[in-house]
Amino acid sequence: MAGEETKKFLGLLNGLAKRIYYGESDITDDFLKAELYPNLSEEEFRLQTAKCQRLIKTMASSDMDFDKLEAFLISQTKKRDGAITEEEAKVFSKFWRNHKTKIHDTLIAATSWNNSLKSVNWRIDVKSQSKNIDQLNIPTAIMEFQVTEGLDKAKEPEVVLFEMDEEKLTNVLSNMQEIEKQINAYCNQ
């Protein structure tokens, strides 16, 4: 695959990703064909586009890391029907390096309907002023959660701030340890 053909193929993959995952509906098959492959027949272009879409969707749905991607692409070069060339496999690898995170985030955002925890900050304070003397010099955990709607990075996160005394903090830590035990027991089955 010559340098110009590599650019065209990468352009096709980028265009498909923009249409499928990034919501750019103005990137149609007709547009891609006219811009990248005007000399290809309609049938050849349709087959090429379908093959690329299938491979991109497979890579995205399994959120392939780069080791799995390499094995996947090698297996695709060995196929007889609908196979890709080694040069196309290299372009797919370059494409996936550039788009993996963004496609993953887009898929997560599309399937997330609740708020997301962006960050947790905490500190221990000792009260030095209070209406009741028995509340002085008692350590208190101050918790700050930053919560966002979905993965929308444009919106400012909502901040939830609260305090916990030693008993509540101990209870939360105990519950977290129980959750960790349950997860470990489930993973080790």
Side-chain angles (χ1 to χ4, degrees), residues 9 26 28 35-36 42-44 54-55 67 86 93 118-119 155 169 179 187:
F9 192 68
D26 55 330
T28 63
E35 291 293 316
L36 300 171
E42 289 293 328
E43 181 63 19
E44 288 174 319
R54 178 180 47 82
L55 294 175
D67 292 333
E86 288 183 23
S93 183
K118 183 177 179 184
S119 71
K155 287 187 179 179
L169 183 59
I179 291 169
C187 290

Side-chain angles (χ1 to χ4, degrees), residues 171-185:
N171 191 15
V172 167
L173 291 174
S174 172
N175 288 337
M176 296 287 279
Q177 289 172 343
E178 184 60 33
I179 291 169
E180 183 179 17
K181 285 179 191 175
Q182 292 293 324
I183 291 172
N184 287 337

